């Protein structure tokens, strides 16, 4: 059944984490006011510092891969290898590789350095190795940042919209359906987004994807770069096939494919939770503006380890949406400076991520206005 927003808030509060009442009025502050509140050095992009983070991630991943070559020969029972050693490798390799994904994502925002050629070169190399079409995703992701929270123009996690909240039980509220949908989202959601533009902006063409240079996602001037991304992915796939021929498909599956799937899991989990919460609004064209859309996101806490390995992409996401060209190593300081000005417009959630994932995925099936005809729509159970 449909719940009032206050009732939803009380349920979320019961899980600990949500403390602020959302506001529907337009903020009194401007982007310029927020920018002035951020310390000046936070805008500095250091090629050397960004490269140090990149090299540290690569070194950690290389060390993990090297360590994994000794797992099968370890003098321990097979159960220990498969239930402890390999899962430990997969967890840490996936987490570190997600950090590399975040750095490449910063390259797409030109936050890695002051040099676009360097940014795009690093982003293309790193994202391609993670089977991400760098330029294609860069362009669609930029449109997401330009239209966050807009039901008409946003490019990712666009919810179903209804004219009014439903007051009757529906099949997709059933536990098995919710579970299947969540598991599907976390496992194949990212490939479906790339291949079919799943859960994204609606286009009139039958097949919209991130690999076709003539896809309506892209402008004419972006087509060559989309093709470059495709060529880079083909090169990486050929390299992986050669690795499999040399080392064996079992080796490739254990060393690369499982961590790759974990990266996809973290990518979808992080982005889903950044934009899915019972008190995050969505807007029609009549109500939407860039600042309100940028504030329609929430900071999530994954704990010290994952926050660090993921370069704080989750717990500083509000600041990232406001100022996406800011490097990740300044985002915590910028968040602390912004929070007093944002007040109730700043949203954060400290519930354990796995608990929030199930609760919010269940409580956020679609959006509908509180008042029929209103241009502000809220998530509903």
């Amino acid at each position: 059944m449909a719940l009032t927003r206050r009732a939803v808030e009380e349920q979320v509060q019961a899980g600990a984490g949500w403390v602020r009442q959302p506001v529907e009025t337009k903020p009194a502050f401007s982007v310029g006011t927020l920018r002035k509140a951020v310390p000046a050095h936070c805008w500095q992009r250091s090629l050397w510092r960004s490269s140090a983070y990149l090299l540290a991630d690569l070194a950690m991943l290389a060390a993990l891969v090297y360590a994994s070559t000794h797992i099968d020969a370890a003098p321990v029972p097979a159960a220990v290898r498969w239930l402890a050693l390999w899962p430990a490798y997969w967890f840490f390799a996936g987490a570190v590789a997600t950090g590399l994904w975040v750095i490449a994502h910063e390259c797409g925002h030109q936050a890695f350095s002051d040099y676009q050629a360097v940014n795009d070169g690093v982003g293309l190399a790193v994202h391609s190795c993670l089977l991400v079409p760098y330029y294609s995703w860069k362009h669609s992701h930029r449109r997401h940042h330009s239209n966050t929270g807009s039901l008409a123009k946003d490019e990712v996690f666009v919810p179903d919209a209804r004219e009014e909240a439903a007051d009757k039980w529906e099949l997709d509220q059933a536990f098995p359906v919710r579970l299947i949908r969540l598991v599907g989202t976390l496992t194949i959601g990212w490939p479906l987004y790339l291949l079919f533009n799943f859960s994204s902006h609606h286009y009139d063409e039958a097949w919209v994807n991130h690999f076709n240079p003539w896809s309506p996602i892209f402008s004419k001037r972006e087509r060559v770069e989309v093709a470059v991304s495709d060529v880079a992915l083909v090169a990486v796939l050929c390299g992986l096939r050669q690795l499999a021929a040399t080392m064996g498909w079992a080796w490739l599956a254990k060393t690369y494919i499982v961590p790759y799937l974990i990266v996809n899991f973290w990518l979808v989990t992080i982005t889903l939770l950044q934009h899915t919460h019972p008190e995050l609004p969505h807007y029609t064209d009549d109500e939407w503006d860039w600042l309100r859309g940028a504030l329609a996101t929430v900071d999530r806490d994954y704990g010290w380890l994952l926050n660090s390995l993921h370069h704080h992409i989750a717990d500083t996401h509000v600041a990232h949406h406001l100022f996406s060209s800011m490097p990740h190593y300044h985002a915590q300081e910028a968040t602390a400076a912004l929070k007093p000005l944002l007040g109730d417009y700043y949203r954060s959630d400290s519930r354990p991520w796995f608990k929030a994932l199930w609760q919010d995925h269940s409580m956020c099936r679609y959006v509908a206005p509180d008042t029929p005809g209103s241009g502000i729509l809220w998530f509903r159970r």
Side-chain angles (χ1 to χ4, degrees):
M1 61 180 293
L3 299 175
T4 65
R5 287 191 291 113
R6 184 59 188 172
V8 171
E9 180 183 347
E10 290 172 355
Q11 287 200 8
V12 177
Q13 283 180 332
W18 190 250
V19 296
R20 288 185 172 86
Q21 174 71 17
V23 289
E24 295 188 357
T25 58
K26 292 187 177 182
F29 49 79
S30 67
V31 178
T33 304
L34 297 176
R35 179 178 289 273
K36 291 177 182 178
V38 177
H41 67 268
C42 290
W43 305 109
Q44 296 175 3
R45 297 169 291 188
S46 169
L47 174 59
W48 300 110
R49 188 170 180 180
S50 297
S51 298
Y53 279 100
L54 173 64
L55 293 174
D57 282 354
L58 290 172
M60 283 192 290
L61 190 58
L64 287 165
V65 171
Y66 174 75
S68 74
T69 62
H70 299 282
I71 292 178
D72 287 335
V76 296
V80 174
R81 290 197 296 270
W82 287 105
L83 297 179
L85 298 182
W86 276 115
Y89 165 73
W90 294 329
F91 172 82
F92 283 103
V96 172
T98 301
L100 284 167
W101 204 106
V102 171
I103 290 177
H105 152 264
E106 288 205 336
C107 290
H109 284 293
Q110 306 305 310
F112 187 83
S113 76
D114 292 328
Y115 311 102
Q116 182 171 345
V118 172
N119 297 336
D120 286 341
V122 171
L124 179 64
V126 175
H127 262 173
S128 296
C129 288
L130 296 171
L131 301 184
V132 178
Y134 170 72
Y135 283 110
S136 308
W137 180 85
K138 168 186 171 180
H139 295 312
S140 67
H141 188 64
R142 183 182 67 249
R143 293 185 176 91
H144 161 61
H145 272 259
S146 299
N147 300 283
T148 308
S150 168
L151 288 169
K153 298 178 182 178
D154 202 352
E155 280 287 344
V156 67
F157 287 116
V158 181
D160 292 334
R162 302 184 185 181
E163 294 183 357
E164 59 183 21
D167 59 359
K168 61 181 180 179
W169 185 87
E170 296 176 342
L171 179 61
D172 59 358
Q173 292 175 282
F175 176 85
V177 177
R178 287 185 291 160
L179 182 61
I180 291 171
R181 290 184 61 179
L182 181 58
V183 171
T185 298
L186 298 179
T187 53
I188 61 174
W190 174 242
L192 287 177
Y193 172 66
L194 294 178
L195 286 167
F196 303 102
N197 214 39
F198 179 77
S199 187
S200 184
H201 178 72
H202 173 73
Y203 293 96
D204 291 334
E205 293 189 17
W207 184 20
V208 179
N209 64 80
H210 278 71
F211 304 100
N212 178 8
W214 284 268
S215 171
I217 300 173
F218 312 113
S219 66
K220 291 182 179 180
R221 64 181 180 83
E222 294 166 350
R223 289 174 181 169
V224 172
E225 292 183 333
V226 174
V228 169
S229 294
D230 293 345
V231 171
L233 288 179
V234 170
V236 170
L237 289 172
C238 289
L240 291 173
R241 181 179 180 182
Q242 186 59 44
L243 273 175
T246 303
M247 305 294 294
W249 283 101
W251 177 89
L252 186 68
K254 291 184 293 185
T255 306
Y256 177 88
I257 295 177
V258 175
Y260 162 75
L261 294 175
I262 292 175
V263 171
N264 287 357
F265 166 84
W266 283 126
L267 170 61
V268 175
T269 297
I270 291 169
T271 53
L272 174 66
L273 287 178
Q274 285 166 346
H275 299 287
T276 305
H277 189 285
E279 293 298 348
L280 288 183
H282 283 73
Y283 302 98
T284 63
D285 284 343
D286 293 338
E287 286 283 352
W288 183 88
D289 62 62
W290 183 87
L291 180 56
R292 297 176 89 183
L295 293 172
T297 185
V298 58
D299 284 351
R300 303 275 191 172
D301 185 4
Y302 285 69
W304 173 83
L305 178 62
L306 288 175
N307 285 342
S308 299
L309 292 177
H310 294 168
H311 300 306
H312 297 279
I313 189 62
D315 58 320
T316 63
H317 198 67
V318 174
H320 173 67
H321 259 273
L322 290 169
F323 306 112
S324 58
S325 62
M326 180 187 298
H328 68 84
Y329 41 81
H330 294 315
Q332 287 178 286
E333 184 177 0
T335 297
L338 289 168
K339 285 169 65 174
L341 276 76
L342 293 175
D344 286 341
Y345 292 93
Y346 173 74
R347 295 174 172 89
S348 65
D349 196 322
S350 60
R351 284 174 296 159
W353 64 268
F354 47 87
K355 184 176 184 179
L357 183 63
W358 173 253
Q359 288 181 337
D360 291 358
H361 186 266
S362 301
M363 289 192 290
C364 301
R365 291 192 304 124
Y366 64 96
V367 292
D370 284 346
T371 304
S374 171
I376 306 176
L377 290 78
W378 302 92
F379 279 114
R380 310 286 175 169
R381 178 183 289 276

